[in-house]
């Protein structure tokens, strides 16, 4: 790390467009230059992880992000706040679905793709990056002719591999040629990726990490959410947060909570995250139907995730699909909050079942309700599991450590640029 991360000056600049990239002064003299292709329309788990890693990375490397012009403004705004250079161009997404909406999206992407290629080529020639970092396979598929032509090191930070169907296996043989190294966010992700085709020893597992800050133990819950919803401080607050969509299992949590209200009258439920339609309205209708509307609050999006976890007693991650990692589980652990979690992909790698949390089957509200009730009725167990979760995060999922290791992998000098492989 000392050989490749010594800088003569630290430069921070604001946003720019791909069209004016050559007008920026070449002030940086750092040894490692990273071009990150992360076309993000919204900010969810993948984007939050990437921002956290590159907040650390920008201290030891010259970083420039290429984003998509199809975005809601949140991702570029946060890049600007972090002082990370970024450009925007027309990077979209292809879809195999043939409905009107997806056909329109694919057509728009194809029409604008030559502009995106031109912008990427110009920026690459201007910046001369040591490594091109892509945040998932969608960007590789979109840019693979360029990635091969530009003859640069390419690292794919793999969060969510495609399903191992025949079409995806055949396409993997093609776009895999552009990748020098996969860095998978969990063992589960690497295993799923290996079902598409052969991997090598260069293709690593580096778990995600979360910001760690001081915490007085035993923890005391803040009154932020109870105050927001007018609940007495004596209630026990269960929380779920993240992307508000059906595959995250919100409806399973609501059903588990409905089953519990007859036995645990002091329970309250808080749902965090952006209130995405039409699913948000669907959840509200379900609350009215089940007669538990006054027992459930929607916290909305909080800029500081710790504010949410500090104000709950039990966290539930109810995903119905295979999570790449389950960042919210690590975030709960960092705040010493006990977790009830479905057996969902990489999320099980963050929890020691029975020690730092309780694992339950997917799509099983009854089992979830039993696990919540077990924690709700035993304050000592909540404390012990929460503190065990924090120890695990400090040891294995500390963002500082993960960012340093990622920087080391990106700065690896033993690269054969000829075939783009490490």
């Amino acid at each position: 790390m000392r050989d490749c991360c010594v800088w003569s000056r630290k430069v921070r600049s604001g946003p720019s467009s791909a069209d004016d990239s050559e007008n920026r002064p070449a002030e940086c003299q750092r040894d490692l230059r990273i071009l990150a292709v992360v076309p993000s329309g919204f900010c969810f788990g993948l984007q939050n992880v990437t921002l956290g890693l590159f907040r650390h990375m920008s201290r030891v490397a010259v970083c420039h992000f290429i984003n998509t012009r199809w975005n809601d403004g949140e991702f570029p705004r946060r890049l600007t706040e972090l002082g990370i250079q970024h450009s925007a161009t027309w990077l979209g997404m292809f879809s195999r679905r043939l409905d009107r909406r997806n056909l329109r999206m694919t057509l728009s992407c194809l029409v604008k793709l030559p502009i995106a290629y031109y912008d990427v080529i110009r920026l690459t020639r201007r910046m001369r990056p040591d490594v091109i970092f892509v945040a998932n396979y969608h960007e590789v598929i979109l840019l693979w002719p360029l990635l091969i032509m530009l003859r640069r090191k390419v690292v794919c930070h793999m969060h969510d591999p495609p399903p191992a169907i025949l079409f995806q296996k055949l396409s993997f043989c093609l776009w895999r040629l552009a990748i020098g190294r996969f860095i998978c966010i969990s063992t589960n992700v690497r295993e799923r990726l290996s079902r598409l085709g052969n991997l090598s020893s260069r293709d690593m597992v580096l778990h995600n990490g979360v910001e760690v800050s001081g915490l007085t133990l035993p923890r005391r819950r803040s009154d932020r959410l109870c105050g927001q919803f007018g609940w007495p401080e004596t209630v026990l607050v269960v929380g779920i947060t993240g992307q508000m969509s059906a595959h995250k299992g919100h409806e399973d949590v609501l059903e588990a909570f409905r089953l519990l209200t007859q036995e645990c009258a002091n329970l309250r439920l808080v749902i965090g995250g952006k209130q995405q339609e039409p699913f948000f309205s669907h959840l509200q209708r379900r609350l009215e139907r089940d007669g538990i509307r006054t027992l459930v609050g929607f916290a909305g999006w909080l800029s500081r995730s710790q504010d949410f976890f500090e104000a709950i007693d039990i966290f539930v991650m109810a995903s119905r699909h295979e999570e790449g990692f389950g960042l919210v589980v690590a975030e709960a652990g960092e705040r010493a909050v006990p977790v009830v979690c479905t057996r969902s992909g990489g999320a099980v790698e963050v929890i020691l079942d029975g020690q730092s949390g309780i694992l339950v089957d997917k799509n099983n509200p009854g089992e979830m309700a039993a696990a919540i009730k077990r924690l709700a009725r035993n304050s000592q167990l909540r404390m012990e599991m929460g503190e065990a979760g924090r120890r695990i995060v400090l040891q294995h999922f500390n963002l500082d450590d993960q960012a340093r290791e990622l920087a080391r992998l990106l700065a690896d000098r033993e690269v054969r640029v000829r075939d783009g492989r490490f």
Side-chain angles (χ1 to χ4, degrees), residues 102-360:
N102 282 287
L103 281 172
R104 214 160 110 195
M105 178 182 71
T106 298
L107 182 60
S108 297
C109 178
L110 286 170
V111 169
K112 303 271 189 179
L113 195 56
I115 302 172
Y117 277 15
Y118 177 70
D119 287 341
V120 172
I121 290 171
R122 284 211 309 167
L123 183 55
T124 303
R125 288 177 176 172
R126 165 67 176 170
M127 185 183 180
R128 296 188 179 278
D130 299 297
V131 60
I132 297 175
F133 175 96
V134 291
N136 225 325
Y137 69 95
H138 299 288
E139 292 78 67
V140 182
I141 294 172
L142 199 66
L143 296 175
W144 76 265
L146 285 188
L147 297 178
I148 292 174
M149 182 191 73
L150 292 171
R151 303 175 71 85
R152 300 282 171 178
K153 296 186 295 182
V154 179
V155 171
C156 180
H157 198 210
M158 182 57 70
H159 290 248
D160 188 19
I165 59 178
L166 180 60
F167 173 83
Q168 297 291 6
K169 289 180 178 181
L170 293 174
S171 66
F172 177 79
C173 295
L174 187 63
W175 56 263
R176 172 65 169 106
L177 298 175
I179 303 299
R181 167 176 283 163
F182 288 105
I183 299 178
C184 301
I185 64 172
S186 68
T187 302
N188 175 269
V189 165
R190 193 183 191 281
E191 289 174 352
R192 283 192 281 149
L193 186 62
S194 69
R195 296 171 196 163
L196 296 172
N198 293 328
L199 300 180
S200 75
S201 58
R202 293 184 299 265
D203 301 317
M204 316 282 291
V205 173
L206 178 62
H207 287 101
N208 283 337
V210 296
E211 295 280 358
V212 173
S213 57
L215 180 67
T216 301
L217 297 175
R219 71 183 292 269
R220 294 187 62 183
R221 188 194 72 198
S222 80
D223 61 0
R224 179 190 182 100
L225 294 176
C226 285
Q228 179 178 341
F229 301 114
W231 295 333
E233 293 185 7
T234 54
V235 300
L236 206 66
V237 182
V238 179
I240 176 174
T241 190
Q243 186 177 352
M244 200 172 287
S245 58
H247 70 280
K248 292 295 185 178
H250 289 72
E251 292 182 273
D252 294 332
V253 177
L254 291 185
E255 177 60 18
F257 190 72
R258 186 190 69 80
L259 295 172
L260 284 169
T261 52
Q262 299 175 359
E263 301 181 62
C264 305
N266 69 325
L267 281 184
R268 299 294 184 272
L269 175 65
V270 175
I271 301 174
K274 292 181 180 178
Q275 297 168 359
Q276 296 170 268
E277 295 290 2
F279 194 64
F280 172 59
S281 295
H282 171 73
L283 292 179
Q284 288 184 309
R285 289 191 295 270
R286 174 155 184 165
L287 292 175
E288 295 291 347
R289 185 196 73 188
D290 292 343
I292 55 174
R293 183 66 186 88
T294 58
L295 306 179
V296 180
F298 290 89
W301 184 79
L302 300 176
S303 59
R304 183 177 175 271
S305 64
Q306 287 180 334
D307 289 339
F308 179 85
F309 293 103
E310 287 171 354
I312 64 175
D313 298 288
I314 301 167
F315 179 69
V316 180
M317 197 200 81
S319 287
R320 295 172 169 178
H321 72 135
E322 290 291 282
E323 288 283 347
F325 177 72
L327 187 69
V328 288
V329 175
E331 289 176 329
E334 190 274 331
R335 291 289 89 187
V337 178
V339 175
V340 174
C341 178
T342 54
R343 293 182 175 89
S344 172
V348 302
E349 298 171 38
V350 189
I351 291 178
L352 285 179
D353 189 21
Q355 296 183 43
S356 64
I358 302 174
L359 294 175
V360 298

